[in-house]
Amino acid sequence: MEKFRYHRKHLLKFLKSKKANFDFESLYIHIPFCKKKCLYCDFYSVSDKKGSIKNFFDSLKAEYEEFRSLTDLSSIKTIYIGGGTPSLLLPEEIEALSSSIFSFNDFEIEEFTFEANPESIDLAKMVSLKKIGVTRISLGVQSLDDEILRFLGRIHSSEDARKAAREIKNLGFDLNIDIIYGIPGQTFGSLVDTVKQVVYLEPDSISAYALTVKKDTFNGLPLKSSEAYFEEYLYIVEFLRKNGYRHYEVSNWAHDGKESKHNLNYWLRKNYLGLGPSAASLIDDVRFSNEPSVTKYLTNNSAYFLEVLNEDQILLERFYLAMRTSLGFDISQSVTLNVEFLKEFVNQGLLEVSDNRIVPTDRGMFVLDSIVASLIA
Amino acid sequence: MQHIRNFSIIAHIDHGKSTLADRLLQLTKVVDERKFVEQYLDRMDIERERGITIKAQTVRMPYEYEGQTYILNLIDTPGHVDFTYEVSRSLAACEGALLVVDATQGVEAQTIANALLALENNLVIIPVINKIDLPAANVERTKKEIEESLAIPADEAILISAKTGENVEEVLKAIIEKVPPPSGKPDGRLRALIFDSWYDAYRGVGLLIKVVDGIIKRGDQIKLMASQKVFEVEEVGYMSPDPVQAENIMCGEVGYIFAGIKDPRDTRIGDTITKFKEEAETPLPGYKEPKPVVFTGIFPVEGGEFEKLRDSLEKLRLNDPSVFFEPETSKALGFGFRCGFLGLLHMEIIKERLEREFGLELIATAPSVAYKVVKTNGEIITIKSPAEMPNPNLIEKIEEPYVRAVIMTNAEYVGDVMELCQEKRGILRSMNYLSENRVEFVYELPLAEIIFDFFDRLKSKTKGYASFDYELIGHRESDLVKLDILINGEPVDALSMIVHRDKAYRRGRELVSKLKELIPRQLFDVPVQAAVGSRVIARETIKALRKDVLAKCYGGDVTRKRKLLEKQKEGKKRLKALGKVQVPQETFIEILKVKEG
């Protein structure tokens, strides 16, 4: 089906006509503000606040209330506040999110993540986060090499990152650390050093992302070869394994039991509701996402892009998403795969098959898109 | 008959043949000024775009001269070497020819080849030097070149500008004064030469003919002497330049007939028409079966279009019976046809017409020639594709077609031309300086070498200052081998070729390294090899793909990724599986474009 552009009231009408109640398992809230946009980031954000946070909160409340009229949202088990830079919010604003909009304490939450950047998170904010029920902070460290941080255009120092990580741990939050590899100009030694220091900070989970940009240069330097990416990836895989982190998704590692439940819901294709500009939602066969415009969002009349998927498309998503994780895909689900290639990839050590599941190996995960493209006959 | 003049125009490409024809049409008021378009006689789009003539056309032009009305029949011939046989038949219908030479360019190889054909047919040749209005025109040098190369006196050459019309009237006068009227026996038994044909969806095959002896009229029972088929004439007429019906075509005249002929293969250019039951004793001389000399595999890019390709080829053959095709299967490219053509240009034109007129997307394999293979058991076979090559231990010897090529160039490029011909295994037969600056070479070359990229390279080596023409002179023994390309250990039939042993190594290396660039990385190492028999002569490895995964795939990224997968799934149809290796069609299109050098 084609993608449609719907205004909010029409979207809600359409959704209501489909179903009486929606079992959303996860709630995502997008805070689309950054002090400075990072060169490599393609999430939606703006670097000036375009009116006050208060106005933004009013619109967020309006959107939330309208979706609440659709369903009671009591099925939500995980919440994720991402951005942008949510840690730009002041302590009182963080608390207002709960007190005047969401009443987070009313949910039976299993996991509540808040994204933070080292330069804008402090103890006072962490105390507020505790109050509203946040259990997990995902810290955008990216690198612990100050030269590399400058090259990436980050506005924090490695010391800011170490300090923030320690405080987060001390206050009893689960800590996730984001790092980037494949950075042009970064030596292998510098990356090794960052990975080692990250592990030394004892995060519960780690996200390591291969630098991805559309052009073939980054900040004036040519991108690294895929072999160089691969070498860095393999190092990260090996080093984290030795330190007790399990590789549970293409870019994610965690101690057992510390995997991000919220993110797993995306990969297991559970229903989720996204609020805020650019936020995306899934309800069974319907995907919709909010127009990426703060200005429009503040008018309370932004548009949503909506599409209704057919069985084949849903199955294709299930397959691709599951294959990104160490859970792999249950072959008994009816999907036609190219058996020739499946055998070949198992022979090549890219996939493993056990208990009716196809599971990608570490090497397989790094070429997963090609694998999936070859398998979908 | 005394007032009929049949003539043609011989010229190298771009020397102004079509423009001169346009002027003659205007001067004799045959074409309404308002309906006039440039290159009036070139009816096909491809003809206009390429500035060439593919099909012969005739036009009957009445002209008043000294109180007498003359019938001037212009027979416009194809100008290209691929159509030499058609040219020779068209010329056989004439008594005279205008030899048009561009005063800024001088004599070119094609001019000579066609002028020699005219001389062989005993035509009176009237030299015409064109483009005298241009500052670069050098009339004296051009005259000297005409005399040197063709031994035709050029003193009385008519100096014209077809573009401005200057002196074109003189050309008409010269045709009447110098070209003899047709000689034939008006009372003899009918003999008419077929010099071109075309296909009309309603009336079947139309024939352009010249009545040499006797007369032909509607209702006549006729017999085609080569094919032995009998038909009844339904319509006769003249081209003026559109068909105009008439009662009959008299001795010495050219015109067209329809005779209810449905299958174009029954009518062959060069065949003689006579009357059924009043048959002439002997046919007119010079008939030859058209023989394709260049072969290529043509495959639809979309596998499902095979039937459409067959239909299209059959339709094309209606207008061009010289197109040869038979089904061919390739492991890599699927179902298609092995097609034969009169030459490279003919091949390009047919491929272009298939794509343009029938909306097909095609892949053509490397062109090949017809080899004669003498097997150890004494059997002699002709092979048109590398796939037909017998096992090396069954081969006694292989013969390949050779041509006699005439190459004309400016003196400064003599070294470059010789170098190129040497590389192409050419044997120099003669080299003449036509003027201080103009050189004529005669080389004997394997046809396989010139169909590859000879003309392009000749042009680029001489900055365009070379022209080239050739004729086949038969088969000669050569040390040839079949070069195979193996991808991941599997031979790829579409890429096999027959090459001279000395060149196998270089060609193999070129293909292998190009394939390494073109074939997308797979999820495992893929060896690409070139082999002669079981001996691998070149090898490269396409390294396994190491990284191909979206780094971040969260709530908002799923839609885009799914769309990409759907596109890839759709794109699968254009992937060819060579064993476990998936190669996009584009790779074949690219690799088959690769030229030597």
Side-chain angles (χ1 to χ4, degrees):
Chain A
M1 189 174 148
E2 288 298 303
K3 237 181 178 183
F4 289 104
R5 203 164 181 274
Y6 273 50
H7 280 293
R8 190 181 293 160
K9 59 173 188 265
H10 296 120
L11 172 74
L12 290 163
K13 220 178 193 173
F14 170 76
L15 294 176
K16 259 179 208 158
S17 73
K18 280 192 71 97
K19 209 175 181 184
N21 196 27
F22 294 99
D23 48 348
F24 289 112
E25 291 215 16
S26 297
L27 172 67
Y28 175 79
I29 299 162
H30 191 72
I31 309 292
F33 306 109
C34 286
K35 203 161 178 183
K36 177 172 174 286
K37 188 99 184 127
C38 294
L39 290 167
Y40 51 84
C41 174
D42 63 355
F43 287 108
Y44 174 68
S45 75
V46 291
S47 44
D48 66 306
K49 289 193 188 173
K50 293 215 177 167
S52 66
I53 290 289
K54 170 140 192 346
N55 291 342
F56 176 72
F57 278 11
D58 288 346
S59 293
L60 195 56
K61 186 178 172 72
E63 192 186 24
Y64 178 57
E65 292 300 335
E66 289 200 67
F67 276 97
R68 262 214 319 187
S69 72
L70 192 75
T71 167
D72 61 9
L73 298 176
S74 61
S75 54
I76 284 173
K77 296 190 188 69
T78 72
I79 298 174
Y80 196 110
I81 300 182
T85 312
S87 56
L88 279 182
L89 298 177
L90 302 172
E92 55 272 26
E93 290 169 336
I94 291 170
E95 289 177 36
L97 263 181
S98 187
S99 59
S100 61
I101 311 177
F102 294 101
S103 305
F104 291 125
N105 294 321
D106 295 348
F107 292 96
E108 284 177 39
I109 300 169
E110 292 174 5
E111 180 190 280
F112 185 171
T113 305
F114 191 86
E115 273 183 1
N117 276 354
E119 76 284 353
S120 57
I121 187 77
D122 59 25
L123 270 175
K125 291 178 185 180
M126 289 184 214
V127 169
S128 299
L129 291 173
K130 268 278 158 185
K131 275 191 201 164
I132 66 167
V134 168
T135 63
R136 182 175 179 268
I137 292 178
S138 181
L139 189 65
V141 169
Q142 317 315 359
S143 173
L144 287 168
D145 181 329
D146 285 309
E147 220 174 292
I148 295 299
L149 285 171
R150 275 192 295 276
F151 178 71
L152 289 174
R154 298 290 292 190
I155 48 179
H156 71 264
S157 67
S158 61
E159 189 45 39
D160 292 339
R162 278 186 287 265
K163 181 164 165 282
R166 280 192 293 265
E167 286 173 348
I168 290 165
K169 290 285 289 181
N170 287 340
L171 281 175
F173 292 103
D174 282 344
L175 170 65
N176 180 76
I177 286 180
D178 278 358
I179 59 168
I180 296 175
Y181 63 97
I183 301 166
Q186 183 176 33
T187 61
F188 190 71
S190 162
L191 177 84
V192 165
D193 192 51
T194 287
V195 177
K196 283 184 174 164
Q197 284 195 57
V198 164
V199 168
Y200 185 73
L201 293 170
E202 297 184 332
D204 300 277
S205 58
I206 296 166
S207 306
Y209 296 111
L211 180 81
T212 307
V213 288
K214 289 195 183 76
K215 291 189 286 186
D216 51 10
T217 61
F218 176 75
N219 200 3
L221 291 183
L223 296 188
K224 284 186 171 172
S225 69
S226 59
E227 277 74 16
Y229 271 92
F230 184 61
E231 191 190 0
E232 295 184 3
Y233 169 78
L234 278 191
Y235 171 77
I236 293 168
V237 164
E238 287 307 316
F239 188 78
L240 295 187
R241 189 204 327 277
K242 273 187 234 153
N243 285 279
Y245 291 92
R246 206 171 62 82
H247 191 192
Y248 73 100
E249 193 262 356
V250 171
S251 306
N252 284 283
W253 286 259
H255 286 317
D256 278 341
K258 295 294 184 181
E259 298 85 0
S260 165
K261 293 186 178 72
H262 185 90
N263 290 338
L264 275 169
N265 279 350
Y266 292 137
W267 303 319
L268 295 175
R269 213 176 174 283
K270 300 279 177 61
N271 289 338
Y272 53 92
L273 175 65
L275 301 175
S278 85
S281 307
L282 169 69
I283 306 172
D284 305 333
D285 58 344
V286 182
R287 286 195 180 273
F288 58 90
S289 67
N290 214 331
E291 196 173 3
S293 161
V294 173
T295 324
K296 275 289 195 56
Y297 192 72
L298 293 178
T299 66
N300 291 329
N301 193 26
S302 54
Y304 293 77
F305 298 107
L306 171 125
E307 56 177 350
V308 181
L309 278 55
N310 63 30
E311 284 297 318
D312 287 348
Q313 292 176 311
I314 292 171
L315 205 57
L316 183 60
E317 286 189 358
R318 274 193 196 289
F319 179 56
Y320 176 71
L321 292 170
M323 288 297 287
R324 287 185 67 93
T325 71
S326 57
L327 293 168
F329 184 75
D330 181 354
I331 314 181
S332 60
Q333 295 191 59
S334 61
V335 63
T336 327
L337 298 180
N338 183 323
V339 181
E340 276 295 298
F341 279 114
L342 184 57
K343 278 189 215 153
E344 180 65 27
F345 297 154
V346 171
N347 281 342
Q348 299 281 342
L350 299 170
L351 297 177
E352 283 166 2
V353 177
S354 63
D355 301 336
N356 252 357
R357 298 192 82 84
I358 321 171
V359 180
T361 64
D362 290 319
R363 272 203 306 128
M365 276 190 188
F366 214 49
V367 285
L368 186 81
D369 291 4
S370 286
I371 290 179
V372 168
S374 297
L375 288 181
I376 51 171
Chain B
M1 258 171 85
Q2 287 310 305
H3 299 122
I4 297 171
R5 299 290 184 272
N6 297 317
F7 72 101
S8 107
I9 306 176
I10 292 168
H12 189 75
I13 185 166
D14 287 340
H15 279 203
K17 183 180 75 163
S18 296
T19 314
L20 177 58
D22 288 349
R23 289 300 152 268
L24 297 179
L25 293 180
Q26 285 170 313
L27 270 177
T28 56
K29 301 187 179 60
V30 168
V31 179
D32 194 321
E33 281 295 326
R34 283 165 306 166
K35 290 190 194 151
F36 195 80
V37 287
E38 281 187 28
Q39 267 187 272
Y40 194 91
L41 296 179
D42 295 336
R43 300 297 175 90
M44 273 191 269
D45 283 347
I46 294 184
E47 293 183 314
R48 290 229 167 91
E49 276 164 35
R50 293 190 175 216
I52 55 175
T53 305
I54 299 167
K55 299 290 282 181
Q57 294 282 348
T58 69
V59 55
R60 177 183 161 103
M61 301 180 288
Y63 184 65
E64 291 277 337
Y65 180 63
E66 292 180 350
Q68 192 51 253
T69 303
Y70 287 83
I71 300 297
L72 309 184
N73 288 310
L74 165 59
I75 296 164
D76 190 24
T77 59
H80 192 270
V81 43
D82 286 2
F83 309 108
T84 300
Y85 177 63
E86 281 75 359
V87 177
S88 80
R89 293 306 82 203
S90 300
L91 292 176
C94 303
E95 286 76 41
L98 303 174
L99 173 71
V100 178
V101 182
D102 182 335
T104 68
Q105 303 288 325
V107 171
E108 302 280 3
Q110 227 174 61
T111 330
I112 296 182
N114 286 344
L116 289 174
L117 274 177
L119 289 171
E120 274 171 35
N121 281 288
N122 296 318
L123 268 53
V124 169
I125 291 183
I126 302 171
V128 175
I129 296 176
N130 190 19
K131 303 198 187 178
I132 55 164
D133 57 310
L134 295 181
N138 188 335
V139 172
E140 284 316 308
R141 196 194 64 203
T142 307
K143 280 185 178 173
K144 187 164 178 243
E145 288 179 13
I146 293 173
E147 286 175 359
E148 283 286 328
S149 60
L150 293 165
I152 297 172
D155 291 344
E156 290 173 32
I158 307 170
L159 311 181
I160 67 159
S161 164
K163 197 171 129 210
T164 65
E166 185 180 350
N167 261 347
V168 175
E169 198 97 40
E170 291 303 312
V171 174
L172 287 172
K173 285 179 195 161
I175 291 167
I176 291 166
E177 284 171 5
K178 293 185 179 162
V179 176
S183 62
K185 297 180 216 113
D187 306 323
R189 292 193 163 187
L190 172 67
R191 289 201 299 173
L193 173 74
I194 301 174
F195 61 88
D196 203 2
S197 68
W198 77 100
Y199 193 81
D200 183 291
Y202 302 104
R203 289 179 294 176
V205 179
L207 298 175
L208 286 182
I209 62 166
K210 181 194 182 188
V211 178
V212 175
D213 297 321
I215 186 169
I216 190 167
K217 53 186 185 303
R218 195 172 341 138
D220 282 350
Q221 296 275 317
I222 54 165
K223 182 171 179 181
L224 307 184
M225 294 181 82
S227 71
Q228 292 287 306
K229 302 264 173 161
V230 176
F231 300 97
E232 185 180 316
V233 178
E234 292 171 351
E235 181 182 326
V236 301
Y238 301 105
M239 305 300 273
S240 188
D242 297 312
V244 175
Q245 282 198 42
E247 284 304 306
N248 53 45
I249 306 172
M250 295 206 288
C251 184
E253 280 256 51
V254 296
Y256 73 89
I257 65 165
F258 282 104
I261 305 168
K262 294 299 171 207
D263 187 346
R265 279 167 292 177
D266 289 341
T267 64
R268 296 167 195 169
I269 290 171
D271 199 354
T272 302
I273 299 173
T274 189
K275 249 183 208 155
F276 182 54
K277 289 183 179 157
E278 286 173 52
E279 280 175 43
E281 281 177 16
T282 51
L284 295 163
Y287 173 73
K288 276 192 279 182
E289 292 270 352
K291 272 221 178 79
V293 295
V294 179
F295 299 87
T296 182
I298 292 185
F299 297 85
V301 167
E302 297 280 345
E305 295 210 305
F306 172 76
E307 285 302 327
K308 188 175 170 194
L309 176 58
R310 179 204 297 279
D311 289 348
S312 307
L313 279 166
E314 271 166 9
K315 280 184 188 145
L316 262 188
R317 188 159 62 185
L318 294 179
N319 265 312
D320 186 350
S322 62
V323 179
F324 157 90
F325 58 94
E326 63 189 17
E328 181 176 66
T329 312
S330 154
K331 251 193 276 170
L333 301 176
F335 294 101
F337 291 94
R338 173 110 319 222
C339 300
F341 306 96
L342 301 173
L344 262 197
L345 179 76
H346 189 218
M347 177 179 88
E348 271 176 44
I349 286 167
I350 295 297
K351 184 166 173 266
E352 199 173 323
R353 287 184 66 188
L354 284 170
E355 292 184 318
R356 204 191 292 203
E357 294 170 27
F358 298 94
L360 288 158
E361 206 184 334
L362 302 171
I363 299 182
T365 59
S368 155
V369 298
Y371 297 94
K372 274 189 190 154
V373 179
V374 180
K375 291 166 70 173
T376 43
N377 64 4
E379 191 190 345
I380 300 171
I381 57 169
T382 300
I383 63 168
K384 300 184 288 290
S385 88
E388 295 169 347
M389 182 72 104
N391 203 311
N393 54 28
L394 300 176
I395 297 173
E396 174 78 43
K397 62 174 182 172
I398 305 174
E399 293 179 356
E400 64 177 330
Y402 263 71
V403 301
R404 178 182 180 276
V406 174
I407 300 163
M408 312 263 307
T409 187
N410 285 3
E412 57 194 297
Y413 301 115
V414 162
D416 298 296
V417 171
M418 292 177 81
E419 195 182 54
L420 176 64
C421 291
Q422 185 104 14
E423 187 197 312
K424 295 287 190 180
R425 301 190 276 135
I427 305 156
L428 180 62
R429 283 299 174 214
S430 71
M431 180 178 153
N432 290 322
Y433 278 80
L434 300 183
S435 61
E436 259 164 51
N437 193 32
R438 203 78 185 145
V439 183
E440 177 200 57
F441 290 98
V442 177
Y443 266 96
E444 286 170 5
L445 285 152
L447 177 63
E449 296 286 350
I450 60 172
I451 63 172
F452 199 53
D453 59 355
F454 183 78
F455 196 49
D456 285 349
R457 290 191 50 210
L458 180 67
K459 281 274 178 196
S460 78
K461 272 185 180 283
T462 59
K463 312 231 167 6
Y465 284 108
S467 58
F468 160 67
D469 207 323
Y470 66 86
E471 58 177 341
L472 285 165
I473 52 172
H475 279 72
R476 291 182 189 174
E477 184 177 350
S478 284
D479 188 9
L480 299 168
V481 293
K482 183 177 166 207
L483 177 67
D484 289 316
I485 299 295
L486 292 86
I487 295 177
N488 207 28
E490 307 245 358
V492 183
D493 52 9
L495 300 179
S496 292
M497 58 178 68
I498 294 166
V499 292
H500 194 267
R501 191 181 298 276
D502 296 347
K503 295 192 164 186
Y505 179 68
R506 194 174 123 200
R507 286 293 291 151
R509 228 180 14 193
E510 277 169 5
L511 274 167
V512 159
S513 72
K514 195 76 191 171
L515 279 166
K516 187 190 176 190
E517 265 171 51
L518 289 172
I519 295 178
R521 286 184 176 205
Q522 311 282 312
L523 288 167
F524 38 87
D525 285 355
V526 175
V528 180
Q529 297 156 302
V532 171
S534 57
R535 197 166 59 91
V536 172
I537 56 172
R539 184 198 159 103
E540 292 272 4
T541 302
I542 302 166
K543 284 289 188 192
L545 179 72
R546 288 301 180 200
K547 172 181 177 289
D548 178 28
V549 66
L550 189 62
K552 288 186 178 186
C553 189
Y554 297 109
D557 306 309
V558 183
T559 298
R560 211 177 334 134
K561 184 64 213 175
R562 188 199 70 239
K563 292 210 160 138
L564 196 67
L565 285 170
E566 284 172 344
K567 232 165 107 187
Q568 283 173 318
K569 203 173 166 182
E570 193 52 36
K572 283 265 161 98
K573 289 178 190 157
R574 291 176 69 94
L575 283 180
K576 296 286 181 189
L578 303 173
K580 287 174 194 124
V581 182
Q582 290 182 307
V583 181
Q585 290 271 26
E586 286 66 27
T587 300
F588 284 102
I589 295 173
E590 276 305 306
I591 193 74
L592 291 169
K593 264 192 224 159
V594 173
K595 305 260 166 111
E596 192 173 4

